[in-house]
Amino acid sequence: MMLGQAIRRFTTSAVRSSHYAEGPGKNLPFSVENKWRLLGMMVVFFGSGFAFPFIVVRHQILKK
C-alpha cells in the first residue's frame, strides 16, 4: 500500500518537474527553423523511399 503511494507521488512529481520547450516544431526530432534545410531533408527522405523499388527492380533485371 505504501509502496504504491510512493510510486504514484514520484511519477506525478517527475512529470510536473520536467520542462520541455513548447510551441510549434519544438517537439520534433528535427529542426524546422530553416525552411530550405527542411525541404532538402524531406526531399532526401521521401525521394529515397520512392526511388528504392525502382533501384531494386533495376538490380534484379541486370542480375545475371
Side-chain angles (χ1 to χ4, degrees), residues 11-35:
T11 56
T12 55
S13 65
V15 168
R16 245 184 287 131
S17 67
S18 62
H19 295 287
Y20 293 104
E22 295 182 7
K26 301 297 183 194
N27 59 345
L28 298 174
F30 50 87
S31 174
V32 294
E33 298 297 321
N34 185 347
K35 69 177 179 180

